Amino acid sequence: MPPSPEGPQHAETLGVGKAIAVLTSGGDAQGMNAAVRAVVRVGIYTGAKVFFVCEGYQGLVDGGDHIREATWESVSMMLQLGGTVIGSARCQDFRAREGRLRAARNLVKRGITNLCVIGGDGSLTGADTFRAEWGGLLAELLKTGGITAEEAQRSSHLNIVGMVGSIDNDFCGTDMTIGTDSALHRIIEIVDAITTTAQSHQRTFVLEVMGRHCGYLALITALACGADWVFIPESPPEDDWEEHLCRRLAETRDGGSRLNIIIVAEGAIDKHGKAITSDDIKALVVKRLGYDTRVTILGHVQRGGTPSAFDRILASRMGVEAVMALLEGTPDTPACVVSLSGNQAVRLPLMECVQVTKDVTTAMNEGRFEDAVKLRGRSFQNNWNVYKLLAHIRPPATKSGYTVAVMNVGAPAAGMNAAVRATVRIGLIHGHRMLAVHDGFEGLAFGMVEEIGWNTVGSWTGLGGSKLGTKRTLPKKYFEEISANISKFGIHGLIIIGGFEAFTGGLEMVEGRARFEELCIPLCIVPATVSNNVPGSDFSIGADTALNTITTVRPQRPPQNPPVPNTITTTCDLIKQSAAGTKRRVFIIETMGGFCGYLATMAGLAAGADAAYIFEEPFSSRDLQANVDHLTEKMKTTVKRGLVLRNERCNENYTTDFIYNLYSEEGKGIFDCRKNILGHMQQGGSPTPFDRNFGTKMGAKAVAWITGKIKECSRHGRIFANTADSACLLGMRKRSLVFQPIAELRQQTDFEHRIPKEQWWLRLRPILKILAKYNIELDTSETAHLEHLTRKVLVPEATL
């Protein structure tokens, strides 16, 4: 946002003399508490008074104790709680003008002219109506003596900002709504559990998920578990779907699979608007195929449980943006909704988003289903396109004549297998011969290469680690052997899924082209590492799973015999619970990441840490002492616990043991310390829905690109690729997946420390500190400006 004409505004004084009210309305969603916490703390930081409105709009109408001032401590320990601590309710009173009149009086009497509403489209539409009527409501209150002329003048206009809290992800203009990712976590945990029992008994499972009239949860679940079929309301199946479905299930069984999974959105319909229910599908499968079929309707379990790391960070960032949007608002500023597009905060006109959301329903009612999918936005469209490719298209009889190899390089990361599965299957759909290279570049040198088929990768989506095997070995010392095997196996293109070694190995392969002609084949690097330190991409496959391992508590599994140590006991949520139970305790946690502080910073945001030490932000003994002093002051409040994160290589002298000993010594008599080194548990475990979906889309996109490059570089039946753009890295940049020549990324890389020279997430560091009550300056120069929701963005990123 450009600086104001009067000069830069200081965020610390932006709210002086102003009051903000925050409420949660409609259905609850995990992450709402993180949003409330951020609004309260950032509001207080700006000098504003912040009020809770309990029980949603009903609390606004009833007033009294339902509207009460919030304090810094009153939002402590709510970050990891599901639902909404301040309560939510459906409110009929607010739908009537009389109810809105009472609500307006309650706000005016407290001097509140800024309202932050966290809820679905109905809640946000109600807020916009309230704002539009504000002048008339004040005039009526003044006329009847409900408020004084001075109060009316002081509250002459009302600013409204919305955050969408809904597990359905049905609000157009937003990539993700608060609660969606957490709901997917609940669903996938259940799907993974069902998969084991279904395989044991050769069963077909029909799973019904929530979402009202939006198929997002069903679609992402289908991608994340490799379902045989998904029914979504935006794109009903063809009229002979029963025949197609039964043929698909039979093909899967004939291919050696012991289970079938069918995902049904609760609003699923056919082309004529008739509901397709779980029971209908079960009856069809039993009658036509005779399969043992079970129905599971997940229901409100999807709304429950602790929010995921993604939802906590999303809600916290949106809460900060909401406060800034409110305090910068003028009478001419339209009510807006704050959201995230890619990794960027955006402000969108609330009613434009509401209108497009309604347009989806209209399109579906009128049978314009292609329009409905487009109106859901680019992300939905791309997910649907990838799913259709993977589930509804089989390898053609005519082969392309090309051979593509796929390998993993570097340390294992959850989601690698999902990326390999998509790569193999999309490659086969393109007609290619697909090869799996085991153990990275070393395996390519030693000939550990085999052809891989459709069914081999069938169940890989939900598996952690690397089924292909992965090593950190770089290729330079094996150029002769690698060249010989590229020639021997007839490899025309290579997709390398891995971390920093995949990037540097790709660079070495490009350098080797001058000496070895066999290396002149197209290369595509797909970033997959928990450290998120690969240049050219804002996110890497595996980082989300690692963040959740560090941050969140997952539901406890039944006891095993013999018992297996539960690594979850070392996560930040349980640590904070322990610290809450034992007063005046500070935990110091060491995270992975090499020199990259992404995990420590983002886990700090998601877990509500008091400090996060990273290499990219140098710190001294004076800083450490300031942090100890800050915790000492904190122990004088009602919040008698602390959490400190340390990236494993943030400082060679200030080790985890050093910091632990320093805090222990300085905190004597005030607080005691404990330490945890999380270690390689961060690389393990089942991938999160985000990493499964991200890996699947990245693998699909990589194959589409490499297919085009092979054709482009083909001359008389031979492949010769020696240009910079024939060796690219596929990365998420801001809002898009883009291919960048790895040679160009060299200039953006700090090779000594194995990190990009510029990292977007460093801009979030001040938010972490402000939410921990440090008095630092918040740079508002990059706060989002109001964007309009145009049809231009409603196009797919690329044809796969």
Side-chain angles (χ1 to χ4, degrees):
M1 192 166 186
S4 67
E6 297 82 21
Q9 289 183 300
H10 292 287
E12 306 97 302
T13 56
L14 199 59
V16 173
K18 298 179 181 178
I20 299 170
V22 58
L23 63 88
T24 52
S25 176
D28 64 301
Q30 309 97 316
M32 280 182 164
N33 289 322
V36 170
R37 172 181 177 268
V39 170
V40 169
R41 290 195 167 177
V42 176
I44 292 171
Y45 161 82
T46 64
K49 279 187 174 183
V50 187
F51 292 83
F52 291 135
V53 179
C54 300
E55 310 307 331
Y57 284 122
Q58 194 64 55
L60 207 59
V61 173
D62 293 343
D65 290 341
H66 288 97
I67 304 174
R68 61 176 189 268
E69 190 169 353
T71 65
W72 195 275
E73 289 81 13
S74 64
V75 292
S76 181
M77 282 301 282
M78 66 192 288
L79 190 61
Q80 71 273 25
L81 300 177
T84 165
V85 168
I86 61 174
S88 181
R90 312 280 183 187
C91 178
Q92 290 300 321
D93 290 343
F94 193 75
R95 293 175 183 269
R97 183 179 171 85
E98 178 58 35
R100 294 193 291 274
L101 197 67
R102 288 163 58 194
R105 183 178 184 277
N106 288 328
L107 291 180
V108 170
K109 286 296 181 185
R110 290 167 176 79
I112 299 168
T113 56
N114 298 282
L115 186 61
C116 179
V117 178
I118 307 165
D121 58 346
S123 303
L124 300 183
T125 303
D128 190 70
T129 302
F130 191 38
R131 182 191 172 165
E133 291 180 350
W134 186 256
L137 294 172
L138 259 57
E140 190 172 333
L141 287 167
L142 185 59
K143 185 178 176 182
T144 58
I147 58 173
T148 66
E150 185 186 344
E151 286 170 337
Q153 188 177 4
R154 196 175 61 220
S155 306
S156 58
H157 72 276
L158 178 70
N159 287 326
I160 296 282
V161 169
M163 283 183 266
V164 190
S166 166
I167 67 166
D168 304 331
N169 203 32
D170 58 352
F171 195 78
C172 294
T174 59
D175 275 1
M176 288 284 274
T177 57
I178 296 169
T180 304
D181 187 69
S182 301
L184 284 168
H185 275 253
R186 298 296 90 77
I187 295 167
I188 292 301
E189 282 162 2
I190 293 163
V191 171
D192 285 351
I194 280 174
T195 298
T196 55
T197 184
Q199 284 177 329
S200 300
H201 296 277
Q202 292 200 59
R203 280 184 178 144
T204 295
F205 266 90
V206 182
L207 273 84
E208 183 179 304
V209 301
M210 293 173 85
R212 291 194 300 177
H213 304 296
C214 179
Y216 186 86
L217 288 179
L219 175 55
I220 300 304
T221 300
L223 272 172
C225 72
D228 295 284
W229 199 282
V230 64
F231 291 91
I232 63 170
E234 294 87 349
S235 188
E238 296 301 325
D239 286 340
D240 58 348
W241 64 268
E242 293 94 342
E243 193 65 40
H244 285 301
L245 172 62
C246 291
R247 187 167 65 246
R248 170 69 39 72
L249 300 181
E251 282 175 5
T252 306
R253 287 287 176 96
D254 292 344
S257 176
R258 292 176 60 82
L259 82 155
N260 300 113
I261 294 181
I262 301 163
I263 309 296
V264 189
E266 63 180 348
I269 53 174
D270 65 16
K271 290 274 187 189
H272 311 287
K274 181 177 178 288
I276 298 175
T277 69
S278 307
D279 289 334
D280 292 340
I281 297 162
K282 176 185 175 180
L284 171 72
V285 175
V286 172
K287 182 181 177 182
R288 295 266 188 103
L289 300 173
Y291 292 169
D292 183 1
T293 305
R294 305 296 165 95
V295 171
T296 300
I297 298 173
L298 300 190
H300 282 71
V301 69
Q302 294 158 88
R303 286 193 193 278
T306 188
S308 66
F310 182 98
D311 270 330
R312 300 182 196 197
I313 294 165
L314 171 71
S316 297
R317 291 184 65 188
M318 283 165 61
V320 174
E321 191 60 45
V323 171
M324 292 301 139
L326 280 171
L327 299 181
E328 291 166 4
T330 69
D332 300 323
T333 310
C336 74
V337 64
V338 297
S339 180
L340 225 57
S341 179
N343 68 356
Q344 289 187 301
V346 293
R347 300 179 191 175
L348 299 164
L350 192 156
M351 291 316 292
E352 282 188 27
C353 296
V354 169
Q355 185 56 53
V356 178
T357 303
K358 288 178 177 174
D359 289 347
V360 177
T361 306
T362 303
M364 287 161 57
N365 290 340
E366 294 175 357
R368 295 184 288 110
F369 296 109
E370 284 188 17
D371 289 344
V373 171
K374 287 177 185 175
L375 287 163
R376 284 283 182 221
R378 285 192 309 166
S379 175
F380 191 97
Q381 236 179 316
N382 285 309
N383 286 322
W384 182 234
N385 288 339
V386 172
Y387 175 76
K388 284 192 296 183
L389 269 178
L390 286 169
H392 289 248
I393 298 175
R394 285 294 181 262
T398 308
K399 301 302 178 186
S400 68
Y402 299 130
T403 298
V404 176
V406 58
M407 65 164 72
N408 294 153
V409 173
M416 275 182 165
N417 293 322
V420 171
R421 174 184 178 270
T423 299
V424 170
R425 288 197 163 180
I426 298 291
L428 292 170
I429 287 166
H430 278 283
H432 306 328
R433 174 170 164 257
M434 297 301 296
L435 300 180
V437 180
H438 298 276
D439 293 344
F441 288 115
E442 199 173 294
L444 186 56
F446 296 156
M448 297 168 67
V449 181
E450 64 176 349
E451 190 164 350
I452 189 165
W454 184 275
N455 292 323
T456 308
V457 295
S459 60
W460 285 20
T461 316
L463 301 178
S466 166
K467 287 284 285 181
L468 294 183
T470 181
K471 289 194 174 181
R472 295 179 183 270
T473 312
L474 294 174
K476 188 178 281 186
K477 62 181 178 180
Y478 293 121
F479 274 165
E480 286 190 15
E481 295 88 343
I482 287 173
S483 298
N485 280 324
I486 286 175
S487 181
K488 175 184 173 183
F489 291 100
I491 297 170
H492 299 115
L494 182 60
I495 294 175
I496 307 167
I497 301 164
F500 200 84
E501 290 86 359
F503 170 64
T504 50
L507 284 172
E508 287 189 5
M509 293 280 280
V510 169
E511 288 167 9
R513 285 173 169 178
R515 291 171 49 215
F516 298 92
E517 191 176 301
E518 293 85 353
L519 302 184
C520 295
I521 58 173
L523 302 174
C524 183
I525 315 295
V526 177
T529 167
V530 302
S531 303
N532 200 33
N533 64 332
V534 179
S537 190
D538 294 342
F539 298 105
S540 295
I541 298 164
D544 185 70
T545 304
L547 264 181
N548 278 279
T549 304
I550 296 167
T551 309
T552 61
V553 185
R554 297 189 187 159
Q556 298 294 308
R557 284 162 176 72
Q560 290 169 279
N561 192 17
V564 176
N566 190 343
T567 54
I568 304 305
T569 54
T570 53
T571 58
C572 293
D573 278 352
L574 284 184
I575 284 165
K576 285 181 79 177
Q577 285 177 17
S578 169
T582 308
K583 303 295 185 187
R584 305 181 189 281
R585 180 163 287 174
V586 175
F587 277 88
I588 293 145
I589 314 297
E590 182 186 294
T591 68
M592 292 178 77
F595 286 101
C596 181
Y598 176 83
L599 284 181
T601 298
M602 300 307 265
L605 256 179
D610 295 281
Y613 300 119
I614 63 170
F615 167 77
E616 294 93 340
E617 195 174 275
F619 57 97
S620 65
S621 57
R622 287 188 296 277
D623 296 315
L624 291 170
Q625 185 61 53
N627 295 146
V628 172
D629 293 342
H630 185 267
L631 279 167
T632 300
E633 287 302 306
K634 186 179 180 182
M635 296 299 162
K636 295 175 183 175
T637 71
T638 56
V639 188
K640 301 182 188 301
R641 61 192 165 274
L643 179 66
V644 175
L645 298 177
R646 177 190 176 274
N647 165 248
E648 61 183 349
R649 303 195 73 175
C650 63
N651 189 296
E652 61 181 339
N653 294 314
Y654 299 139
T655 62
T656 301
D657 284 338
F658 177 92
I659 292 173
Y660 167 72
N661 291 331
L662 173 71
Y663 273 63
S664 297
E665 184 61 33
E666 294 295 320
K668 270 185 181 173
I670 305 163
F671 57 81
D672 65 348
C673 291
R674 296 288 186 274
K675 68 175 177 181
N676 273 296
I677 297 173
L678 301 185
H680 283 76
M681 64 175 278
Q682 294 158 84
Q683 288 179 338
S686 179
T688 59
F690 180 94
D691 278 329
R692 298 183 195 199
N693 184 27
F694 191 41
T696 298
K697 286 201 285 191
M698 294 283 269
K701 192 133 183 163
V703 173
W705 177 85
I706 212 156
T707 300
K709 278 294 166 194
I710 291 172
K711 290 175 181 174
E712 189 183 303
C713 300
S714 181
R715 297 287 184 276
H716 309 296
R718 294 187 61 216
I719 309 298
F720 187 75
N722 66 344
T723 55
D725 67 354
S726 65
C728 283
L729 181 137
L730 171 58
M732 169 67 84
R733 279 289 174 94
K734 293 184 177 176
R735 304 187 190 186
S736 304
L737 290 175
V738 293
F739 291 93
Q740 304 138 97
I742 54 176
E744 291 177 12
L745 294 174
R746 184 189 289 274
Q747 308 306 317
Q748 302 172 25
T749 308
D750 174 352
F751 284 96
E752 181 186 351
H753 299 106
R754 296 161 53 88
I755 54 175
K757 289 178 181 175
E758 288 188 17
Q759 300 183 92
W760 67 272
W761 52 266
L762 285 169
R763 297 195 301 273
L764 304 183
R765 297 275 301 170
I767 296 173
L768 189 155
K769 294 174 184 176
I770 286 167
L771 292 174
K773 211 177 183 180
Y774 282 89
N775 188 22
I776 67 156
E777 189 172 332
L778 178 64
D779 179 11
T780 57
S781 62
E782 286 199 34
T783 53
H785 59 274
L786 194 69
E787 297 183 7
H788 288 278
L789 195 63
T790 65
R791 295 297 147 82
K792 275 188 258 181
V793 301
L794 303 177
V795 294
E797 285 170 355
T799 303
L800 292 169

